[in-house]
Amino acid sequence: MKILITGGSGLIGSELIKQLVSHEIVVLTRSEKQTRAKLNHLSHYPLEFITSLEHFHDLNSFDAVINLAGEPIADRRWTNSQKQTICQSRWQLTEKIVDLIHASSSPPAVLISGSAVGFYGDQQSHPIDENLHVQSHEFSHYVCATWESIARKAESEDTRVCLLRTGVVLSPDGGALKKMLPPYQLGFGGPIGQGNQYLPWIHIHDMVQGIIFLLETPYAHGPFNLCAPHPVQNRIFSKMLSRTLHRPHFMLMPAWAIRLIMGESAALVLDSIRAKPKKLTELGFEFQYSHLEPALKQILQALP
């Protein structure tokens, strides 16, 4: 299978490529040098790197497209310019991919395109799945809903579209957990706000295997929650992380302090999203890490 992957140097993309090296992989990247360095452990595999889609007139030569590229949403405060960067880094590339699929006489059989559980906005303690109809003015919903709408335009009798509503990805190689660890390791761990907000998490292994499952399941289409079947409240996550690290758990970060530090992007840690992977499990996907404690233990043991 010949697969075009965007976002190949990211946390999910780099691990995904490692699992797909038996296929013919073309990686779209803004910096070939940096991406080659990130994927240096795969240098003996025939990966192809491109920095633009401009010389493509169609995608007839590809069997699948996996579109994971986008400016990290949690790295900076959501200023107006940063919001614009977050949006356009997702939307413009996806529009280009959709245009090339439309221009193809033999288009890729599947477009797997990124999104996030931020699509749902704050849903408090209500369990939710992919069938929930959402009307929200939150920025995270706006980004994801528009991104998904653009990707869906690629859908036809020849091309199915799968949308990855991704939770917080837990990995020993970076991501949210790496940012969380230092205060916990120093013994300053604790819940954020009241700690009642639900955190939809997923182990990197299940994230990657979920994408591969959708790639290989010809009747899979539409949105999928890529998060473990058992989301937990922030206070439970925090307590379990402290316990796994054998550190105390007593510090409380008030919601007002988080909003002061993060501004509008505080919604990323204060919103409650009790998302369930209903469609994925109904199709027969089995999570290796469906509960948080074994997931955290495995990841912390694997830390460099």
Side-chain angles (χ1 to χ4, degrees):
M1 190 183 295
K2 187 173 182 180
I3 306 171
L4 172 64
I5 298 180
T6 75
S9 62
L11 180 68
I12 299 169
S14 57
E15 185 63 28
L16 177 65
I17 290 170
K18 190 192 304 181
Q19 302 301 321
L20 290 175
V21 288
S22 62
H23 298 279
E24 186 179 352
I25 304 296
V26 178
V27 182
L28 175 66
T29 175
R30 285 177 295 180
S31 172
E32 181 176 342
K33 183 179 179 180
Q34 289 182 7
T35 304
R36 281 189 182 276
K38 182 74 180 284
L39 301 174
N40 184 55
H41 57 295
L42 302 176
S43 58
H44 54 291
Y45 290 98
L47 299 177
E48 181 182 347
F49 296 88
I50 58 174
T51 56
S52 172
L53 292 174
E54 292 305 317
H55 67 284
F56 284 92
H57 301 293
D58 56 57
L59 296 179
N60 285 331
S61 62
F62 291 96
D63 301 295
V65 180
I66 302 175
N67 177 33
L68 304 173
E71 172 78 7
I73 199 166
D75 280 6
R76 300 179 183 178
R77 287 176 68 97
W78 288 349
T79 62
N80 288 337
S81 62
Q82 181 63 9
K83 283 183 176 182
Q84 188 73 7
T85 300
I86 288 169
C87 292
Q88 296 307 321
S89 65
R90 288 159 172 77
W91 301 348
Q92 287 182 349
L93 177 57
T94 305
E95 285 177 341
K96 179 63 175 176
I97 290 169
V98 170
D99 287 344
L100 289 172
I101 289 175
H102 286 163
S104 305
S105 57
S106 179
V110 59
L111 166 62
I112 298 176
S113 192
S115 185
V117 292
F119 172 90
Y120 298 110
D122 187 5
Q123 296 295 328
Q124 301 178 11
S125 62
H126 306 294
I128 57 176
D129 60 40
E130 296 89 348
N131 293 316
L132 181 70
H133 179 69
V134 180
Q135 287 187 325
S136 172
H137 298 294
E138 290 189 42
F139 176 65
S140 59
H141 171 75
Y142 171 64
V143 174
C144 294
T146 306
W147 197 9
E148 290 186 10
S149 177
I150 294 168
R152 283 179 185 271
K153 293 177 182 177
E155 197 158 30
S156 70
E157 292 182 357
D158 299 312
T159 303
R160 59 189 175 89
V161 174
C162 296
L163 305 166
L164 307 174
R165 292 180 181 168
T166 305
V168 175
V169 180
L170 304 181
S171 166
D173 298 319
L177 189 59
K178 184 177 181 181
K179 296 177 183 178
M180 294 179 198
L181 278 178
Y184 282 86
Q185 290 169 327
L186 293 171
F188 299 121
I192 296 173
Q194 295 299 311
N196 294 323
Q197 66 274 32
Y198 276 86
L199 177 74
W201 62 274
I202 186 169
H203 190 289
I204 185 66
H205 170 86
D206 289 327
M207 181 71 214
V208 168
Q209 291 305 313
I211 295 174
I212 294 173
F213 179 83
L214 295 175
L215 179 68
E216 297 176 347
T217 304
Y219 43 86
H221 65 94
F224 289 87
N225 290 339
L226 268 293
C227 47
H230 302 287
V232 297
Q233 289 173 300
N234 172 266
R235 57 185 171 82
I236 301 299
F237 182 94
S238 176
K239 186 175 182 179
M240 199 167 290
L241 180 56
S242 294
R243 188 171 68 198
T244 306
L245 288 166
H246 307 291
R247 294 292 190 272
H249 178 260
F250 65 92
M251 296 294 288
L252 173 70
M253 177 66 79
W256 65 264
I258 288 292
R259 293 191 179 98
L260 185 65
I261 295 167
M262 299 180 65
E264 187 182 350
S265 65
L268 295 171
V269 294
L270 294 175
D271 280 359
S272 181
I273 305 174
R274 197 177 177 182
K276 299 276 192 171
K278 184 174 185 285
K279 285 181 63 179
L280 202 57
T281 51
E282 284 181 347
L283 286 181
F285 180 75
E286 296 183 3
F287 285 81
Q288 183 167 333
Y289 298 96
S290 58
H291 291 275
L292 180 62
E293 188 167 14
L296 284 176
K297 285 182 177 178
Q298 189 281 327
I299 289 168
L300 294 175
Q301 288 170 358
L303 284 174

